[in-house]
């Protein structure tokens, strides 16, 4: 079995960290998730965002 090393793009961000990264409010972040712009993973009651997904959104919005 292969050992998976954690790369920087496999890092998960919390809602607040993601909002800070995108420089938007939590309500704007919620809207992005509801509109399907940004995928969200639920772990228990926590919403987590994959850093690579967040970076893709930044590239898409800056075009």
């Amino acid at each position: 079995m292969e050992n998976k090393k954690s790369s920087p793009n496999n890092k998960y961000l919390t809602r607040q960290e993601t909002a800070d990264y995108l420089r938007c409010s939590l309500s704007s972040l919620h809207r992005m998730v509801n509109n399907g712009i940004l995928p969200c993973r639920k772990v228990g009651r926590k919403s987590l965002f994959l850093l690579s997904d967040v970076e893709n959104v930044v590239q898409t919005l800056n075009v």
Side-chain angles (χ1 to χ4, degrees), residues 33-50:
V33 171
N34 284 344
N35 291 336
I37 297 169
L38 182 62
C40 174
R41 283 129 176 109
K42 296 290 275 183
V43 178
R45 293 179 62 177
K46 284 189 174 188
S47 298
L48 298 177
F49 301 88
L50 193 58

Side-chain angles (χ1 to χ4, degrees), residues 5-51:
K5 293 186 180 178
S6 180
S7 69
N9 289 341
N10 287 340
K11 181 180 179 188
Y12 284 94
L13 303 174
T14 63
R15 288 175 63 237
Q16 187 62 57
E17 290 170 337
T18 304
D20 291 343
Y21 188 92
L22 294 174
R23 295 184 181 162
C24 69
S25 66
L26 289 174
S27 60
S28 294
L29 181 64
H30 182 73
R31 197 174 314 112
M32 283 188 237
V33 171
N34 284 344
N35 291 336
I37 297 169
L38 182 62
C40 174
R41 283 129 176 109
K42 296 290 275 183
V43 178
R45 293 179 62 177
K46 284 189 174 188
S47 298
L48 298 177
F49 301 88
L50 193 58
L51 180 58

